[in-house]
Each structure stands twice: as structure tokens, then as C-alpha cells.
Amino acid sequence: MARPWIEAWHDALYGTDGFYAREAPHAHFSTSTSPGLVDVLAAAVVALMRREGLDHFVDVAAGGGELACAVSALAPDRDITCVEVRPRPEGLPEWIRWVRSPGGAGLPDGLRGLTSSLVLAHEWLDNVPCTIATRRPAPPQLRDCEVVAVLVDRSGAESVGDPVAPEDAAWARQWWPDGERIEIGRARDDAWTDLLSRIEDGLAVAVDYGHLREARPQDGSLTAYSRGAVVDPVPDGSCDLTAHVAVDSLTHDRLITQRELFTELGLIPDAPDHGLARTDPAAYLHALAHRSAVTALTNSAGPGGFWWVLRRVS
Ligand SMILES: C[S@@+](CC[C@H](N)C(=O)[O-])C[C@H]1O[C@@H](n2cnc3c(N)ncnc32)[C@H](O)[C@@H]1O
């Protein structure tokens, strides 16, 4: 049966037998929390916590707890809480708290009143299902067109449904005025606002591939991953379903790219001195590996182009 993408997407990822009920993210795709990279991301988290004077790290969409472990190793004096759909991984250090979450736009009831916290949602919002819509009729009068939902069945076949809710149409007019296919970010905006409401005092940070109003992806960005490959987006629970985030519509104080932020935090090292290769080859190789990881995470064509959405709450 064909239904709006937002519903099919939610069930495919977070239903009882959904993708994230069964699968660990790193079995299907790599992120900045993958081995060899996670220590650099953790250094950025710890630098931000120190700069903002925060004691508690809350990792929303914690995956397998990789980032939490790396932060704990760098800053053992900080409290750490992971919030995740998936069960607590075996072997996670017992001092790291683990809170189960319903998934998608839903957050756990118990996650409230956070104080002195850096609340980081790394690659969460791209996995929050959103309404996918199209403008009818087609160009050239896109701005005046009716915005109708795109429906999908379990095979991935799409059809066109009814006009979207007035709030979604208003979002499309304000935030995605051009382009025929629209990924309506209202569900992400609301999920982010809900996360902000859980914080009494701290810094909320969302990190994701994203886009701005001036340059939305003309054909949308819905993508599916399975076992390391890009596959057709089919909402049957067999693959991850993700779409880039309209970061400018999220409540924020600052939008900054990962490359800019790492530079600002002084995390980009110089090349190690060749002399070190003779006097301490192990230290030289370590410095070289670290620099390669930083280069990978600050490459503007890759993770360096990730948006960091910052919102201070007090
Ligand atoms: C793309 S993975 C990112 C994992 C990790 N942050 C990383 O960057 O490697 C998305 C993760 O978000 C989790 N997730 C989705 N919705 C969530 C929610 N509402 N609360 C907590 N975790 C959620 C999924 O279970 C999945 O592990």
C-alpha cells in the first residue's frame, strides 16, 4: 500500500523489526566515529566542552558508543550519557550511561533537565524521517504550485498523493521555494526544538550533511545504504534511509562547517618534523596518522563540509 514517505521511512528504520532494531550503523556505512577518525572528533567535542565550561557530554544517536568511549578516554573527568535506539553495547565502560530512545523524531521521556551539558547529535537529524513532496504542476511556475505528498510502497515505487498539511506547505514556501522535489524539514526542526527543550543549561550541537536555502538539492537527497553500498531507497527495513538536513531552518546561534570549526578550535596540526622519524619513529608515525585523520575530517568535499549547528541554552 502506498503511503507518505515520512510514515514508511519511520517504520522501515524504527518499527519493531526496523533497520535500527536489527542493524548497527557501522555494519553498513562509515562515519566520523569510525576507527581511525573517532579520536579526532572526540578531540573537537572535548575542546568545545572546555571552551564552553561544560561537564556532561550527551551523545544523541550514539550508534555503538564509539564517540562516547573516545571522549571518555580523552576527558575521564566528564560525565557521559548516550541516547540510542539500539541496546547498550556489550563491553561499554560501566561509567557511561546508556538511555534507550524510541527513534526518529522521538526522544526518551527521561531525557530532561540537562545541565552543564554538551548535547551532540552527530548524524541524527538526517535519519529523522521527513515529508517528501513535489510541486504540481511542474515548472515554470514552481513558486505558485500546489505542494503534494510523494507516496511510496514497500517496493520503493512512488506515486503522488494529497496536498501536504498547511504547515508543511508553509515550510516549503519559506525554506525550499525552488525545485520540484522537496524534503520538508519541519519534522527535523520540531525534533531539534524538542531536544533543545530538554536542556536547562548547555550547548546543543547538530552535525550533519546539509544545505542552505540558496542551494537546496534540486532532486532531493534521499539516499539508502546497505553493507557499504548505495542502494535504491526502499522502505522495507533492508537499508538505512537518510536525507541531508536543511540546517538553516533549525533554531541556531551559529552555523559553521566542520573544517571552519576545527580550524577555530586549533585542531589542525602541522606536518610532523622529519627529524622525529629518526629519533622516535613510533611518535612520527603516530603524528602522521593523526594528521591524515584530521585531513580526512576537514576535507571540504567530505566530512569537512558537514554543518555544525550550534545553539546555546541557558
Ligand atoms: C547514522 S547513525 C549515526 C551514529 C553515530 N552518531 C555516528 O555518527 O556514527 C544514526 C543513529 O541514530 C540512531 N537514532 C535514530 N533516531 C534516534 C533517536 N530519536 N534517539 C536516539 N538515537 C537515534 C540510530 O539508531 C542510529 O544508531
mmCIF file of all heavy atoms in Angstrom, residues 37-52 57 67 71 74 118 120 203 205 207 258 261-263 265-267 290 297 308:
data_model
loop_
_atom_site.group_PDB
_atom_site.id
_atom_site.type_symbol
_atom_site.label_atom_id
_atom_site.label_comp_id
_atom_site.label_asym_id
_atom_site.label_seq_id
_atom_site.Cartn_x
_atom_site.Cartn_y
_atom_site.Cartn_z
ATOM 1 N N LEU A 37 39.229 7.658 12.930
ATOM 2 C CA LEU A 37 38.734 9.035 12.818
ATOM 3 C C LEU A 37 38.133 9.531 14.124
ATOM 4 O O LEU A 37 38.142 10.733 14.419
ATOM 5 C CB LEU A 37 37.656 9.120 11.723
ATOM 6 C CG LEU A 37 38.082 8.692 10.317
ATOM 7 C CD1 LEU A 37 36.883 8.721 9.362
ATOM 8 C CD2 LEU A 37 39.195 9.596 9.786
ATOM 9 N N VAL A 38 37.600 8.591 14.912
ATOM 10 C CA VAL A 38 36.785 8.986 16.064
ATOM 11 C C VAL A 38 37.575 9.804 17.091
ATOM 12 O O VAL A 38 37.008 10.692 17.744
ATOM 13 C CB VAL A 38 36.113 7.744 16.710
ATOM 14 C CG1 VAL A 38 37.137 6.814 17.354
ATOM 15 C CG2 VAL A 38 35.058 8.162 17.709
ATOM 16 N N ASP A 39 38.881 9.556 17.196
ATOM 17 C CA ASP A 39 39.662 10.306 18.188
ATOM 18 C C ASP A 39 39.732 11.792 17.835
ATOM 19 O O ASP A 39 39.799 12.649 18.716
ATOM 20 C CB ASP A 39 41.081 9.734 18.309
ATOM 21 C CG ASP A 39 41.055 8.339 18.914
ATOM 22 O OD1 ASP A 39 40.074 8.021 19.610
ATOM 23 O OD2 ASP A 39 41.995 7.568 18.669
ATOM 24 N N VAL A 40 39.720 12.090 16.539
ATOM 25 C CA VAL A 40 39.757 13.496 16.113
ATOM 26 C C VAL A 40 38.423 14.169 16.442
ATOM 27 O O VAL A 40 38.382 15.291 16.962
ATOM 28 C CB VAL A 40 40.063 13.579 14.597
ATOM 29 C CG1 VAL A 40 40.013 15.025 14.128
ATOM 30 C CG2 VAL A 40 41.420 12.960 14.294
ATOM 31 N N LEU A 41 37.330 13.464 16.170
ATOM 32 C CA LEU A 41 36.014 14.025 16.502
ATOM 33 C C LEU A 41 35.900 14.223 18.020
ATOM 34 O O LEU A 41 35.397 15.251 18.494
ATOM 35 C CB LEU A 41 34.912 13.080 15.996
ATOM 36 C CG LEU A 41 33.486 13.569 16.185
ATOM 37 C CD1 LEU A 41 33.246 14.862 15.413
ATOM 38 C CD2 LEU A 41 32.483 12.506 15.732
ATOM 39 N N ALA A 42 36.405 13.243 18.771
ATOM 40 C CA ALA A 42 36.355 13.349 20.233
ATOM 41 C C ALA A 42 37.168 14.555 20.714
ATOM 42 O O ALA A 42 36.756 15.267 21.651
ATOM 43 C CB ALA A 42 36.884 12.062 20.872
ATOM 44 N N ALA A 43 38.298 14.817 20.066
ATOM 45 C CA ALA A 43 39.116 15.977 20.461
ATOM 46 C C ALA A 43 38.326 17.263 20.239
ATOM 47 O O ALA A 43 38.414 18.209 21.040
ATOM 48 C CB ALA A 43 40.421 15.995 19.668
ATOM 49 N N ALA A 44 37.531 17.309 19.170
ATOM 50 C CA ALA A 44 36.711 18.507 18.903
ATOM 51 C C ALA A 44 35.640 18.649 19.985
ATOM 52 O O ALA A 44 35.381 19.755 20.485
ATOM 53 C CB ALA A 44 36.072 18.411 17.524
ATOM 54 N N VAL A 45 35.021 17.529 20.365
ATOM 55 C CA VAL A 45 33.988 17.565 21.412
ATOM 56 C C VAL A 45 34.588 18.074 22.721
ATOM 57 O O VAL A 45 34.037 18.968 23.378
ATOM 58 C CB VAL A 45 33.377 16.152 21.610
ATOM 59 C CG1 VAL A 45 32.513 16.097 22.866
ATOM 60 C CG2 VAL A 45 32.563 15.747 20.386
ATOM 61 N N VAL A 46 35.742 17.526 23.086
ATOM 62 C CA VAL A 46 36.370 17.911 24.364
ATOM 63 C C VAL A 46 36.808 19.380 24.319
ATOM 64 O O VAL A 46 36.621 20.132 25.293
ATOM 65 C CB VAL A 46 37.546 16.955 24.688
ATOM 66 C CG1 VAL A 46 38.328 17.447 25.899
ATOM 67 C CG2 VAL A 46 37.014 15.545 24.939
ATOM 68 N N ALA A 47 37.327 19.809 23.178
ATOM 69 C CA ALA A 47 37.744 21.223 23.061
ATOM 70 C C ALA A 47 36.534 22.145 23.211
ATOM 71 O O ALA A 47 36.609 23.180 23.889
ATOM 72 C CB ALA A 47 38.438 21.450 21.717
ATOM 73 N N LEU A 48 35.411 21.765 22.613
ATOM 74 C CA LEU A 48 34.190 22.591 22.743
ATOM 75 C C LEU A 48 33.699 22.604 24.186
ATOM 76 O O LEU A 48 33.289 23.644 24.705
ATOM 77 C CB LEU A 48 33.070 22.008 21.873
ATOM 78 C CG LEU A 48 32.768 22.651 20.537
ATOM 79 C CD1 LEU A 48 31.549 22.000 19.909
ATOM 80 C CD2 LEU A 48 32.552 24.159 20.676
ATOM 81 N N MET A 49 33.746 21.429 24.842
ATOM 82 C CA MET A 49 33.293 21.367 26.242
ATOM 83 C C MET A 49 34.152 22.271 27.117
ATOM 84 O O MET A 49 33.651 22.994 27.972
ATOM 85 C CB MET A 49 33.342 19.927 26.764
ATOM 86 C CG MET A 49 32.278 19.044 26.152
ATOM 87 S SD MET A 49 32.300 17.383 26.834
ATOM 88 C CE MET A 49 31.521 17.655 28.417
ATOM 89 N N ARG A 50 35.469 22.236 26.874
ATOM 90 C CA ARG A 50 36.368 23.072 27.700
ATOM 91 C C ARG A 50 36.102 24.542 27.417
ATOM 92 O O ARG A 50 36.018 25.363 28.333
ATOM 93 C CB ARG A 50 37.827 22.716 27.408
ATOM 94 C CG ARG A 50 38.134 21.303 27.923
ATOM 95 C CD ARG A 50 39.622 21.022 28.094
ATOM 96 N NE ARG A 50 39.765 19.724 28.757
ATOM 97 C CZ ARG A 50 40.480 18.703 28.304
ATOM 98 N NH1 ARG A 50 41.185 18.824 27.188
ATOM 99 N NH2 ARG A 50 40.530 17.571 28.970
ATOM 100 N N ARG A 51 35.950 24.879 26.141
ATOM 101 C CA ARG A 51 35.734 26.282 25.778
ATOM 102 C C ARG A 51 34.443 26.810 26.405
ATOM 103 O O ARG A 51 34.375 27.951 26.852
ATOM 104 C CB ARG A 51 35.666 26.411 24.257
ATOM 105 C CG ARG A 51 35.600 27.849 23.788
ATOM 106 C CD ARG A 51 35.733 27.964 22.283
ATOM 107 N NE ARG A 51 34.438 27.853 21.632
ATOM 108 C CZ ARG A 51 34.245 28.003 20.326
ATOM 109 N NH1 ARG A 51 35.263 28.218 19.534
ATOM 110 N NH2 ARG A 51 33.048 27.909 19.811
ATOM 111 N N GLU A 52 33.409 25.961 26.455
ATOM 112 C CA GLU A 52 32.097 26.395 26.955
ATOM 113 C C GLU A 52 31.935 26.128 28.449
ATOM 114 O O GLU A 52 30.886 26.442 29.021
ATOM 115 C CB GLU A 52 30.978 25.661 26.199
ATOM 116 C CG GLU A 52 31.032 25.841 24.690
ATOM 117 C CD GLU A 52 30.518 27.198 24.212
ATOM 118 O OE1 GLU A 52 29.599 27.728 24.859
ATOM 119 O OE2 GLU A 52 31.038 27.719 23.211
ATOM 120 N N PHE A 57 28.731 15.229 28.818
ATOM 121 C CA PHE A 57 28.590 15.011 27.370
ATOM 122 C C PHE A 57 27.405 14.090 27.122
ATOM 123 O O PHE A 57 27.359 12.976 27.651
ATOM 124 C CB PHE A 57 29.883 14.405 26.808
ATOM 125 C CG PHE A 57 29.781 13.986 25.368
ATOM 126 C CD1 PHE A 57 29.288 14.868 24.400
ATOM 127 C CD2 PHE A 57 30.174 12.719 24.961
ATOM 128 C CE1 PHE A 57 29.179 14.479 23.071
ATOM 129 C CE2 PHE A 57 30.090 12.327 23.630
ATOM 130 C CZ PHE A 57 29.584 13.207 22.685
ATOM 131 N N LEU A 67 31.972 7.185 19.926
ATOM 132 C CA LEU A 67 32.397 8.552 20.267
ATOM 133 C C LEU A 67 32.452 8.735 21.786
ATOM 134 O O LEU A 67 33.377 9.350 22.317
ATOM 135 C CB LEU A 67 31.439 9.569 19.620
ATOM 136 C CG LEU A 67 31.756 11.036 19.893
ATOM 137 C CD1 LEU A 67 33.142 11.413 19.388
ATOM 138 C CD2 LEU A 67 30.697 11.934 19.245
ATOM 139 N N VAL A 71 35.649 10.023 23.848
ATOM 140 C CA VAL A 71 35.593 11.225 24.706
ATOM 141 C C VAL A 71 35.995 10.853 26.124
ATOM 142 O O VAL A 71 36.759 11.566 26.788
ATOM 143 C CB VAL A 71 34.171 11.852 24.664
ATOM 144 C CG1 VAL A 71 34.005 12.905 25.751
ATOM 145 C CG2 VAL A 71 33.899 12.465 23.287
ATOM 146 N N LEU A 74 39.694 10.676 26.484
ATOM 147 C CA LEU A 74 40.372 11.988 26.460
ATOM 148 C C LEU A 74 40.061 12.840 27.676
ATOM 149 O O LEU A 74 40.862 13.673 28.089
ATOM 150 C CB LEU A 74 39.919 12.777 25.224
ATOM 151 C CG LEU A 74 40.555 12.460 23.887
ATOM 152 C CD1 LEU A 74 39.973 13.382 22.822
ATOM 153 C CD2 LEU A 74 42.061 12.615 23.963
ATOM 154 N N LEU A 118 27.053 19.374 27.034
ATOM 155 C CA LEU A 118 27.209 19.482 25.582
ATOM 156 C C LEU A 118 26.362 18.351 25.005
ATOM 157 O O LEU A 118 26.671 17.174 25.206
ATOM 158 C CB LEU A 118 28.666 19.308 25.163
ATOM 159 C CG LEU A 118 28.842 19.347 23.637
ATOM 160 C CD1 LEU A 118 28.659 20.761 23.113
ATOM 161 C CD2 LEU A 118 30.178 18.825 23.201
ATOM 162 N N LEU A 120 25.251 16.580 21.857
ATOM 163 C CA LEU A 120 25.672 16.477 20.461
ATOM 164 C C LEU A 120 24.833 15.434 19.743
ATOM 165 O O LEU A 120 24.726 14.296 20.198
ATOM 166 C CB LEU A 120 27.141 16.053 20.407
ATOM 167 C CG LEU A 120 27.704 15.913 18.994
ATOM 168 C CD1 LEU A 120 28.326 17.218 18.526
ATOM 169 C CD2 LEU A 120 28.756 14.824 18.922
ATOM 170 N N LEU A 203 25.092 23.526 25.673
ATOM 171 C CA LEU A 203 25.234 23.809 24.244
ATOM 172 C C LEU A 203 24.699 22.611 23.477
ATOM 173 O O LEU A 203 25.124 21.473 23.712
ATOM 174 C CB LEU A 203 26.715 24.017 23.896
ATOM 175 C CG LEU A 203 27.032 24.281 22.429
ATOM 176 C CD1 LEU A 203 26.531 25.660 21.994
ATOM 177 C CD2 LEU A 203 28.543 24.181 22.179
ATOM 178 N N VAL A 205 24.343 20.790 19.823
ATOM 179 C CA VAL A 205 25.076 20.778 18.553
ATOM 180 C C VAL A 205 24.502 19.671 17.673
ATOM 181 O O VAL A 205 24.432 18.514 18.099
ATOM 182 C CB VAL A 205 26.579 20.489 18.788
ATOM 183 C CG1 VAL A 205 27.342 20.578 17.472
ATOM 184 C CG2 VAL A 205 27.180 21.438 19.815
ATOM 185 N N VAL A 207 25.224 17.837 14.020
ATOM 186 C CA VAL A 207 26.258 17.738 12.982
ATOM 187 C C VAL A 207 25.719 16.844 11.866
ATOM 188 O O VAL A 207 25.337 15.693 12.118
ATOM 189 C CB VAL A 207 27.561 17.130 13.555
ATOM 190 C CG1 VAL A 207 28.649 17.131 12.485
ATOM 191 C CG2 VAL A 207 28.024 17.883 14.791
ATOM 192 N N GLN A 258 32.450 21.965 9.500
ATOM 193 C CA GLN A 258 33.386 21.221 10.346
ATOM 194 C C GLN A 258 34.816 21.716 10.145
ATOM 195 O O GLN A 258 35.571 21.876 11.099
ATOM 196 C CB GLN A 258 33.274 19.733 10.000
ATOM 197 C CG GLN A 258 34.173 18.834 10.819
ATOM 198 C CD GLN A 258 33.616 17.438 10.913
ATOM 199 O OE1 GLN A 258 32.502 17.246 11.385
ATOM 200 N NE2 GLN A 258 34.378 16.461 10.479
ATOM 201 N N LEU A 261 35.206 24.976 11.973
ATOM 202 C CA LEU A 261 35.203 24.830 13.435
ATOM 203 C C LEU A 261 36.510 24.199 13.930
ATOM 204 O O LEU A 261 37.091 24.641 14.920
ATOM 205 C CB LEU A 261 34.003 23.975 13.894
ATOM 206 C CG LEU A 261 33.923 23.848 15.407
ATOM 207 C CD1 LEU A 261 33.466 25.162 16.043
ATOM 208 C CD2 LEU A 261 33.005 22.723 15.844
ATOM 209 N N PHE A 262 36.986 23.162 13.230
ATOM 210 C CA PHE A 262 38.227 22.509 13.668
ATOM 211 C C PHE A 262 39.392 23.503 13.600
ATOM 212 O O PHE A 262 40.290 23.488 14.430
ATOM 213 C CB PHE A 262 38.521 21.269 12.811
ATOM 214 C CG PHE A 262 37.699 20.051 13.168
ATOM 215 C CD1 PHE A 262 36.476 20.182 13.818
ATOM 216 C CD2 PHE A 262 38.134 18.766 12.863
ATOM 217 C CE1 PHE A 262 35.709 19.067 14.141
ATOM 218 C CE2 PHE A 262 37.385 17.646 13.193
ATOM 219 C CZ PHE A 262 36.168 17.794 13.822
ATOM 220 N N THR A 263 39.354 24.374 12.581
ATOM 221 C CA THR A 263 40.398 25.401 12.467
ATOM 222 C C THR A 263 40.296 26.349 13.657
ATOM 223 O O THR A 263 41.293 26.654 14.324
ATOM 224 C CB THR A 263 40.244 26.172 11.134
ATOM 225 O OG1 THR A 263 40.241 25.223 10.073
ATOM 226 C CG2 THR A 263 41.370 27.164 10.927
ATOM 227 N N LEU A 265 39.081 25.797 16.541
ATOM 228 C CA LEU A 265 39.450 25.147 17.806
ATOM 229 C C LEU A 265 40.932 24.787 17.861
ATOM 230 O O LEU A 265 41.405 24.197 18.843
ATOM 231 C CB LEU A 265 38.607 23.871 18.002
ATOM 232 C CG LEU A 265 37.105 24.081 18.235
ATOM 233 C CD1 LEU A 265 36.361 22.744 18.212
ATOM 234 C CD2 LEU A 265 36.845 24.807 19.563
ATOM 235 N N GLY A 266 41.671 25.107 16.802
ATOM 236 C CA GLY A 266 43.124 24.840 16.790
ATOM 237 C C GLY A 266 43.439 23.357 16.702
ATOM 238 O O GLY A 266 44.431 22.894 17.265
ATOM 239 N N LEU A 267 42.612 22.613 15.958
ATOM 240 C CA LEU A 267 42.783 21.156 15.915
ATOM 241 C C LEU A 267 43.561 20.679 14.696
ATOM 242 O O LEU A 267 43.761 19.489 14.514
ATOM 243 C CB LEU A 267 41.409 20.466 15.920
ATOM 244 C CG LEU A 267 40.564 20.686 17.173
ATOM 245 C CD1 LEU A 267 39.176 20.098 16.987
ATOM 246 C CD2 LEU A 267 41.240 20.061 18.395
ATOM 247 N N HIS A 290 47.678 10.773 12.794
ATOM 248 C CA HIS A 290 46.743 11.761 13.343
ATOM 249 C C HIS A 290 46.459 12.848 12.306
ATOM 250 O O HIS A 290 45.317 13.234 12.067
ATOM 251 C CB HIS A 290 47.328 12.355 14.631
ATOM 252 C CG HIS A 290 46.508 13.477 15.179
ATOM 253 N ND1 HIS A 290 45.251 13.280 15.702
ATOM 254 C CD2 HIS A 290 46.735 14.818 15.240
ATOM 255 C CE1 HIS A 290 44.741 14.454 16.072
ATOM 256 N NE2 HIS A 290 45.627 15.391 15.800
ATOM 257 N N LEU A 297 38.861 14.429 7.965
ATOM 258 C CA LEU A 297 37.666 15.033 8.571
ATOM 259 C C LEU A 297 37.514 16.516 8.252
ATOM 260 O O LEU A 297 36.495 17.115 8.603
ATOM 261 C CB LEU A 297 37.672 14.837 10.090
ATOM 262 C CG LEU A 297 37.437 13.410 10.590
ATOM 263 C CD1 LEU A 297 37.077 13.408 12.061
ATOM 264 C CD2 LEU A 297 36.346 12.713 9.808
ATOM 265 N N TRP A 308 27.900 22.198 11.416
ATOM 266 C CA TRP A 308 27.733 22.156 12.866
ATOM 267 C C TRP A 308 26.726 23.258 13.206
ATOM 268 O O TRP A 308 26.987 24.443 12.926
ATOM 269 C CB TRP A 308 29.057 22.389 13.595
ATOM 270 C CG TRP A 308 29.984 21.191 13.537
ATOM 271 C CD1 TRP A 308 30.461 20.591 12.411
ATOM 272 C CD2 TRP A 308 30.518 20.452 14.655
ATOM 273 N NE1 TRP A 308 31.269 19.511 12.745
ATOM 274 C CE2 TRP A 308 31.326 19.412 14.115
ATOM 275 C CE3 TRP A 308 30.408 20.560 16.037
ATOM 276 C CZ2 TRP A 308 32.000 18.493 14.921
ATOM 277 C CZ3 TRP A 308 31.092 19.647 16.842
ATOM 278 C CH2 TRP A 308 31.870 18.622 16.291
#
